[in-house]
Amino acid sequence: MAVDYTVIVLYLAGMLAMGWWGMRRARSKSEFLVAGRRLGPWMYSGTMAAIVLGGASTIGGVGLGYKYGLSGAWMVFAIGLGLLALSVFFSARIARLKVYTVSEMLDLRYGGKAGVISGVVMWAYTLMLAVTSTIAYATIFDVLFDLPRTLAIVLGGTIVVAYSTLGGMWSITVTDMVQFVVKTIGVLLLLLPIAVVKAGGFEGMREALPTSYFEPLGIGGETIFTYVLIYTFGMLIGQDIWQRVFTARTDKVAKWGGTVAGTYCLAYALAGAVIGTAAKVLYPKLPSADDAFATIVKDELPMGVRGLVLAAALAAVMSTSSGALIACATVANNDIWSRLRGIAKRNDEADGAERDEVKGNRAFILIMGVAVIGIAIALNDVVQALTVAYNLLVGGLLVPILGGLLWRRGTVQGALAAVGAGGLAVIGLMWAYGILANEPVYYGLLASLTAYVIVSLATRPTDAAVLAHWRARLAGQDTSEPETGTGSPEPAPVTA
């Protein structure tokens, strides 16, 4: 195991080094929160794929393959479909808005008043996403070093908090690009073919397993529909995803780079399901399906390769964790704390003001990071926590966000009614049917849509000046935001 340990330690040290590099580069709010909005197509594609393919997509995706066969790919497949839909239909317009958060978009579209409420919902979602990603360190470090759960969470969480706090989005972007490469090599190019060969090839797998393992809809139509409803639509509106869209250098980069990342996700989904199916052949009686990934890596891979594949799993968890962490901190600072204190959004080009904003956002990442580690240690049922977060996100915010982008007649009163009706319906139905039931998100969405349409039609249309400003931002005609705030010439765009 010495070689495997060396690979992991070098990888973790490299992540911290990227944090130090990012600290020297992130000199303004724009650089710190959205990498200066200067990512080119290759780096944008890699980092977008890294943020959406986390521990649930890797360890959980293999586990679903172990339990259901090839149809276990549907969860990650739904994530890929959501990223494709976001990239093709919405990302160009989102990138042209030049905002930092989803709530800022809602304020632009509806003329204010929606930011704090939507910010609280989005903050809860990103917080739980960061917590569940952080808990996944316990599984990986247990396989690597046989560490206690609490120590594993503290170790993994501290590394992510350190490089995220130091360099913000620049550090996260560079580390995510490294993590994307590691995941591609470790999971797609090494673990996938080795697992298939060890299981006797596809013919051997077909002979050893029931026919249902090779049926595309074997997991069940209702389950597939729920995955699409939660994960596909969740990709359209999550702050962690939008914040990556904001990093694109142009709207074309956001559209086509995201399309490449979404296509990659579809391939990753199928790979995870195949690996899980192979693990079912090799280890038919594992106590838990989620043990399939760690078991096949630990027992079937040669020395050195095992360390690289475990580093790939660690990369998957870290990319999601760091993306959720900076999203959580950005929402907490910009959409909740600053608004509650009555601090107006500043477009001050002074170097000192920009530096102060960097310090403030860095402090919020540190505070949120410590909170995430503490909650991760205390929390047991992460599936229920993440389900609550996704139900509130989709049930409460999907309608007002997509309505604002697609329906001119939507009003701020309609948006607030949609958030309230959808959120309350989701909470009430989770209490009645159970947290893991499908009904809360189904009926929550229906309640949100009904309230949005009825209240919007019953209230005065959004002010013409607000809509004019909104259309100008969507068209990219309003470019008032300072990009660096340093007073120095613009750095060359990052293209790869």
Side-chain angles (χ1 to χ4, degrees):
M1 293 291 290
V3 175
D4 298 325
Y5 291 160
T6 301
V7 171
I8 298 297
V9 170
L10 288 175
Y11 169 77
L12 294 176
M15 296 300 98
L16 291 175
M18 292 301 102
W20 183 260
W21 176 87
M23 182 179 67
R24 298 171 62 85
R25 190 179 185 97
R27 298 171 294 175
S28 70
K29 178 181 179 180
S30 177
E31 295 280 352
F32 190 81
L33 293 182
V34 291
R37 307 187 195 276
R38 293 190 287 112
L39 296 192
W42 295 111
M43 184 168 282
Y44 178 86
S45 297
T47 56
M48 181 60 88
I51 179 65
V52 300
L53 296 174
S57 300
T58 303
I59 299 172
V62 171
L64 287 172
Y66 182 88
K67 191 173 182 180
Y68 298 105
L70 299 185
S71 66
W74 271 104
M75 184 187 76
V76 184
F77 203 79
I79 291 173
L81 291 177
L83 186 53
L84 284 172
L86 174 70
S87 301
V88 173
F89 299 112
F90 300 109
S91 63
R93 284 183 284 175
I94 292 170
R96 289 194 292 264
L97 289 174
K98 302 295 184 184
V99 296
Y100 291 102
T101 68
V102 175
S103 296
E104 287 182 23
M105 167 264 169
L106 291 173
D107 278 352
L108 273 175
R109 168 59 182 82
Y110 295 112
K113 301 180 182 178
V116 173
I117 295 175
S118 62
V120 170
V121 176
M122 191 64 73
W123 174 78
Y125 158 73
T126 54
L127 179 70
M128 285 298 100
L129 185 62
V131 167
T132 53
S133 300
T134 302
I135 290 174
Y137 296 130
T139 300
I140 298 172
F141 281 110
D142 177 59
V143 174
L144 286 172
F145 307 116
D146 195 25
L147 292 178
R149 178 181 183 274
T150 298
L151 183 59
I153 290 172
V154 170
L155 176 60
T158 299
I159 292 171
V160 170
V161 172
Y163 73 70
S164 301
T165 302
L166 286 172
M169 187 58 83
W170 269 123
S171 295
I172 293 171
T173 295
V174 177
T175 54
D176 276 1
M177 197 63 197
V178 174
Q179 289 158 359
F180 169 75
V181 173
V182 171
K183 280 191 288 191
T184 301
I185 295 173
V187 176
L188 296 184
L189 301 184
L190 292 176
L191 182 58
L192 175 61
I194 290 174
V196 171
V197 170
K198 291 279 187 178
F202 287 102
E203 287 302 319
M205 292 161 63
R206 283 184 176 275
E207 293 175 2
L209 296 172
T211 307
S212 62
Y213 267 71
F214 302 93
E215 294 175 354
L217 304 180
I219 198 171
E222 185 178 0
T223 299
I224 294 171
F225 179 75
T226 302
Y227 283 156
V228 171
L229 192 63
I230 293 178
Y231 295 111
T232 300
F233 285 109
M235 288 294 106
L236 298 180
I237 58 175
Q239 169 68 24
D240 52 323
I241 310 301
W242 278 42
Q243 199 155 343
R244 296 311 174 97
V245 175
F246 301 150
T247 66
R249 188 173 72 234
T250 66
D251 54 359
K252 290 183 178 179
V253 168
K255 181 175 182 178
W256 298 112
T259 301
V260 171
T263 305
Y264 177 90
C265 290
L266 302 184
Y268 199 89
L270 184 59
V274 171
I275 293 168
T277 304
K280 183 67 175 180
V281 175
L282 296 169
Y283 311 99
K285 295 183 180 181
L286 289 177
S288 170
D290 287 339
D291 294 337
F293 180 88
T295 302
I296 197 170
V297 170
K298 190 174 183 180
D299 293 348
E300 302 297 336
L301 298 186
M303 179 179 59
V305 174
R306 180 172 50 215
L308 183 59
V309 174
L310 286 171
L314 196 59
V317 176
M318 283 187 162
S319 58
T320 300
S321 181
S322 59
L325 177 60
I326 193 171
C328 177
T330 302
V331 171
N333 187 17
N334 289 266
D335 294 336
I336 301 175
W337 178 247
S338 294
R339 293 167 190 259
L340 291 178
R341 293 182 61 201
I343 301 176
K345 293 289 181 285
R346 293 177 295 177
N347 285 321
D348 190 347
E349 296 187 11
D351 181 51
E354 285 289 325
R355 288 182 182 275
D356 287 343
E357 291 209 50
V358 170
K359 291 179 181 178
N361 282 290
R362 184 173 281 136
F364 264 86
I365 291 179
L366 180 59
I367 293 169
M368 291 296 104
V370 172
V372 163
I373 293 173
I375 296 171
I377 292 171
L379 200 61
N380 289 320
D381 200 333
V382 297
V383 174
Q384 291 195 7
L386 191 59
T387 300
V388 171
Y390 263 107
N391 283 349
L392 285 172
L393 176 71
V394 175
L397 292 182
L398 178 67
V399 169
I401 291 173
L402 294 189
L405 289 168
L406 300 174
W407 192 39
R408 181 177 178 178
R409 186 61 179 82
T411 66
V412 65
Q413 293 88 351
L416 291 173
V419 174
L424 290 175
V426 163
I427 293 171
L429 290 168
M430 282 192 295
W431 179 80
Y433 286 96
I435 290 176
L436 299 180
N438 294 327
E439 287 84 358
V441 71
Y442 294 166
Y443 296 119
L445 266 176
L446 181 60
S448 182
L449 178 61
T450 302
Y452 182 70
V453 172
I454 291 176
V455 175
S456 291
L457 292 176
T459 52
R460 296 181 59 182
T462 304
D463 186 84
V466 172
L467 286 177
H469 180 57
W470 165 254
R471 288 194 294 270
R473 292 290 284 263
L474 277 180
Q477 296 170 359
D478 186 341
T479 57
S480 59
E481 183 202 45
E483 289 294 277
T484 62
T486 60
S488 57
E490 284 283 345
V494 176
T495 59

